[in-house]
Amino acid sequence: MIDVQGLQKSYKDFQAVNNSNFHVEEGEIFGFLGPNGAGKSTTINILSTMLQPTSGSVTINGYDVTKHQNRVRESIGIIFQQNTLDEKLTAKENLKLHCKFYGVPRSKRKARINEVLEIVDLTDSINLLVEKFSGGMQRRLEIARGLLHYPKVLFLDEPTVGLDPQTRAHVWEYILKLKENENITMFLTTHYLDEAEISDRIAIMDHGDIIAIDTPRNLKQQLGGDIVEIKTTDNEAAMKEIESDFDVVDLSLQDGFINCKVENSDAFVSSFIKTLQTPLTGLDIRKPTLNDVFLSFTGREIRD
Ligand SMILES: Nc1ncnc2c1ncn2[C@@H]1O[C@H](COP(=O)(O)OP(=O)(O)OP(=O)(O)O)[C@@H](O)[C@H]1O
Ligand SMILES: [Mg+2]
């Protein structure tokens, strides 16, 4: 559904995307992650025909993004991070306007509007002014609008940013429902790594390069080992002890906890508890998360 080969984009002499190669299968949820400035928006803008690549080839639904822009635009829906609905119009008026922009045939508009409102559970609010909608309802309406013209690919740029956890969960329910019922391909960026977990595959971009691409499960397995989180009365002293006395893969201080990455947590913890001089106040063992994967590949947290 999406095929990217040798994609490069430079702004004057600055290379924002170096040499990207990836493809996305039909019906796949593809998570696209990276720290600030990695080149994610640049890539999405090229894939959605808003920006010209410097070189390389990109096809969406079989259409070249530079040669068949209109065909590409008919094939995609975009849900932007910021609200782009007209608040002074009702839900129905917003959707009608979009139908006109996208050339949905007049005879099909009414049925299609009802259909997409049903998908996001907003049928009862069809005649309500958007300014009266809650944040979560507005997001759902944006999603509905993105679906009006039967896109094959949906680009979701931070679709749940700024929403409360309950509404976030709700929006994700709809996104998953869409994947199941309509087989839409989703290209997703998010700064919430727990959300990225729902992706079938994830690409991590950094400094214009795609540095990892795999299923969330494989990425975490690739990291291997366990994370032991330790809290002590003096974390700095404890870290010095750990560095000199133990065999750890990685050691870092995060949110008042020492994060120890070890090959085998059983062996580590049993000898650690006996040997550590600094008084221990807390200990937890966990498997690597996507956050750990991200940190290990980019050396940075996903947020600045
Ligand atoms: N129009 C432009 N002219 C010059 N440089 C640009 C332009 N747009 C983006 N850049 C640079 O290209 C790099 C990639 O930017 P991009 O917006 O693609 O990053 P991003 O991964 O979307 O980051 P964020 O997470 O902050 O949204 C950055 O260093 C940015 O400063
Ligand atoms: Mg961006």
Side-chain angles (χ1 to χ4, degrees):
M1 191 51 62
I2 301 177
D3 188 44
V4 175
Q5 282 180 33
L7 177 64
Q8 298 202 33
K9 176 68 189 177
S10 43
Y11 298 109
K12 299 223 169 86
D13 52 2
F14 178 76
Q15 189 91 354
V17 175
N18 293 330
N19 181 14
S20 271
N21 296 284
F22 61 89
H23 69 276
V24 182
E25 301 288 339
E26 181 165 18
E28 203 175 11
I29 298 185
F30 190 77
F32 197 57
L33 309 178
N36 294 122
K40 303 182 297 294
S41 293
T42 302
T43 303
I44 290 190
N45 289 346
I46 292 170
L47 266 51
S48 55
T49 76
M50 294 189 283
L51 189 68
Q52 288 284 320
T54 306
S55 62
S57 103
V58 178
T59 62
I60 309 277
N61 193 22
Y63 301 113
D64 188 297
V65 294
T66 54
K67 295 187 194 115
H68 303 109
Q69 295 202 339
N70 287 337
R71 286 269 181 265
V72 171
R73 285 176 192 156
E74 284 163 15
S75 307
I76 64 176
I78 309 174
I79 291 155
F80 294 102
Q81 174 178 340
Q82 69 281 21
N83 208 341
T84 58
L85 295 160
D86 191 328
E87 299 202 334
K88 298 291 175 198
L89 298 180
T90 65
K92 188 179 174 179
E93 289 164 343
N94 267 287
L95 296 180
K96 266 182 152 170
L97 203 61
H98 187 87
C99 281
K100 278 189 204 162
F101 285 151
Y102 275 84
V104 177
R106 196 174 285 269
S107 60
K108 295 207 172 130
R109 286 181 195 170
K110 193 169 170 215
R112 189 59 185 162
I113 287 173
N114 289 335
E115 239 174 270
V116 296
L117 283 175
E118 190 131 330
I119 292 175
V120 298
D121 261 343
L122 285 176
T123 307
D124 293 343
S125 311
I126 183 164
N127 289 313
L128 199 64
L129 284 179
V130 168
E131 64 185 5
K132 299 272 193 315
F133 276 37
S134 70
M137 286 165 79
Q138 292 195 5
R139 274 301 54 198
R140 276 148 58 195
L141 184 58
E142 296 247 7
I143 293 174
R145 190 183 53 180
L147 296 171
L148 269 178
H149 56 286
Y150 301 93
K152 306 278 282 179
V153 181
L154 203 53
F155 289 96
L156 298 144
D157 196 4
E158 302 257 350
T160 59
V161 77
L163 298 179
D164 62 86
Q166 202 186 346
T167 312
R168 271 172 60 190
H170 220 61
V171 169
W172 280 112
E173 257 175 52
Y174 291 109
I175 292 176
L176 285 171
K177 195 164 97 181
L178 276 179
K179 174 189 152 87
E180 260 168 45
N181 299 345
E182 318 241 335
N183 200 34
I184 293 178
T185 307
M186 316 249 187
F187 192 96
L188 158 80
T189 74
T190 177
H191 277 103
Y192 301 115
L193 288 172
D194 56 330
E195 292 189 347
E197 289 273 358
I198 76 155
S199 310
D200 297 304
R201 283 187 307 141
I202 284 175
I204 298 178
M205 188 173 218
D206 198 13
H207 301 299
D209 291 310
I210 292 187
I211 52 177
I213 187 163
D214 212 330
T215 62
R217 191 193 159 88
N218 285 347
L219 287 171
K220 286 183 279 186
Q221 269 181 357
Q222 210 175 318
L223 216 59
D226 300 311
I227 313 277
V228 183
E229 291 181 334
I230 299 158
K231 204 167 188 174
T232 67
T233 54
D234 183 348
N235 283 343
E236 292 200 359
M239 277 177 80
K240 283 197 189 115
E241 277 192 67
I242 296 167
E243 260 168 358
S244 68
D245 299 347
F246 293 92
D247 200 11
V248 294
V249 180
D250 199 24
L251 192 64
S252 64
L253 197 60
Q254 252 181 325
D255 303 326
F257 279 88
I258 302 168
N259 269 359
C260 265
K261 194 161 162 301
V262 297
E263 299 281 359
N264 178 334
S265 59
D266 288 347
F268 172 79
V269 170
S270 59
S271 80
F272 172 78
I273 289 178
K274 283 183 223 139
T275 325
L276 190 78
Q277 300 292 314
T278 315
L280 194 63
T281 54
L283 188 142
D284 204 1
I285 301 165
R286 59 180 179 82
K287 292 285 171 198
T289 61
L290 270 186
N291 210 20
D292 300 311
V293 170
F294 194 86
L295 200 63
S296 137
F297 274 106
T298 67
R300 281 182 278 169
E301 296 273 343
I302 197 159
R303 287 211 182 278
D304 277 345

